[in-house]
Amino acid sequence: MKKIAVLVSGGGTNLQALINAQSRGEIVNGEISIVISSSPMVYALERAQKAGIPSYVLDRKQYPSSQAMTVALVDKLKELSIDLVVMAGFMTIVTKELFEVYENAVINIHPALIPSFAGPGCYGLHVHEKALAYGVKVSGATVHFVTEECDGGPIILQGTVDVLPDDTPESLQRRIMEQCEWKLLPQAVSLFCQNRLKVEGRTVRILP
Ligand code: GRF
């Protein structure tokens, strides 16, 4: 059984999708061992508590640098023998110390079709504002392995939604969450836990 840490900074709807998938038995060979939050005041922590999952706060403000916080994060992950790190709306910068220990074992969900609307400055509603301003007809979500390059790691799964003529950033964000993010993230986590993701350069092969 793979031990999973879910990293959060906000409302935690993707965490909830993982919790729900786990309770339906859809995270095959994996279990959420801990929820780690970058802030003590986020609703995601309540979701963890309600689900009976232990949580831990790693408050960025308590550390002098992103590197110092990352080292503390890695120490905690090692202490708990974590196999997979899932960033589910984790808004804090992490440094190479994480990827040195967890190579191809950190997963992120991004609310656009990478490489579009990705990279520095593309987070939260900004992503959907940019997509609408560009006039794209489809958008979606991407689950990818995390590397040092922001939003640049190998892509695991992508899903699409149509962009509708009267979409606002908020309506597009909601549709992408409901139709893509909340399905793709648990799927990718389950595939990882079954050892079914094989990274070959930039390509992730999904094994049967
Ligand atoms: C999601 O849109 C996710 O794609 C992005 O951050 C947001 C987190 O939302 N990385 P939530 O905290 O899971 O509700």
Side-chain angles (χ1 to χ4, degrees), residues 10-15 88-91 108-111 173 177 181:
T13 63
N14 280 286
L15 167 66
F90 191 60
M91 303 299 279
N108 181 50
I109 176 101
H110 182 75
Q173 177 184 52
M177 282 182 154
E181 295 184 42

Side-chain angles (χ1 to χ4, degrees), residues 56-97:
Y56 183 73
V57 176
L58 204 68
D59 194 344
R60 171 67 182 82
K61 293 196 283 292
Q62 305 296 319
Y63 297 91
S65 64
S66 297
Q67 188 182 29
M69 195 219 68
T70 305
V71 169
L73 171 64
V74 172
D75 284 348
K76 189 72 190 168
L77 296 170
K78 280 189 188 164
E79 177 194 317
L80 297 171
S81 304
I82 295 298
D83 300 295
L84 171 65
V85 182
V86 180
M87 294 186 169
F90 191 60
M91 303 299 279
T92 300
I93 292 170
V94 291
T95 55
K96 63 176 171 32
E97 288 75 14

Side-chain angles (χ1 to χ4, degrees), residues 5-11 15 34-46 48 54-60 63 69 73 88-92:
V6 183
L7 276 46
V8 296
S9 299
L15 167 66
I34 190 147
V35 170
I36 299 178
S37 174
S38 63
S39 157
M41 298 301 291
V42 300
Y43 187 62
L45 288 171
E46 254 177 69
S55 62
Y56 183 73
V57 176
L58 204 68
D59 194 344
R60 171 67 182 82
Y63 297 91
M69 195 219 68
L73 171 64
F90 191 60
M91 303 299 279
T92 300

Side-chain angles (χ1 to χ4, degrees), residues 70-195:
T70 305
V71 169
L73 171 64
V74 172
D75 284 348
K76 189 72 190 168
L77 296 170
K78 280 189 188 164
E79 177 194 317
L80 297 171
S81 304
I82 295 298
D83 300 295
L84 171 65
V85 182
V86 180
M87 294 186 169
F90 191 60
M91 303 299 279
T92 300
I93 292 170
V94 291
T95 55
K96 63 176 171 32
E97 288 75 14
L98 177 63
F99 314 116
E100 283 167 3
V101 179
Y102 287 92
E103 191 189 4
N104 291 334
V106 184
I107 284 177
N108 181 50
I109 176 101
H110 182 75
L113 296 170
I114 288 175
S116 293
F117 314 117
C122 279
Y123 61 90
L125 271 183
H126 298 307
V127 178
H128 309 292
E129 285 163 5
K130 285 175 200 255
L132 291 177
Y134 204 91
V136 293
K137 300 298 186 194
V138 292
S139 191
T142 304
V143 186
H144 62 96
F145 282 115
V146 183
T147 61
E148 271 192 81
E149 186 191 344
C150 180
D151 294 332
I155 290 170
I156 301 167
L157 295 173
Q158 289 187 304
T160 61
V161 299
D162 287 339
V163 176
L164 304 179
D166 54 357
D167 258 330
T168 61
E170 289 80 4
S171 67
L172 182 56
Q173 177 184 52
R174 183 75 192 176
R175 189 172 328 107
I176 289 172
M177 282 182 154
E178 286 175 354
Q179 294 185 19
C180 302
E181 295 184 42
W182 300 342
K183 295 177 184 164
L184 294 178
L185 189 59
Q187 276 173 21
V189 166
S190 185
L191 288 168
F192 179 96
C193 292
Q194 296 169 71
N195 290 321

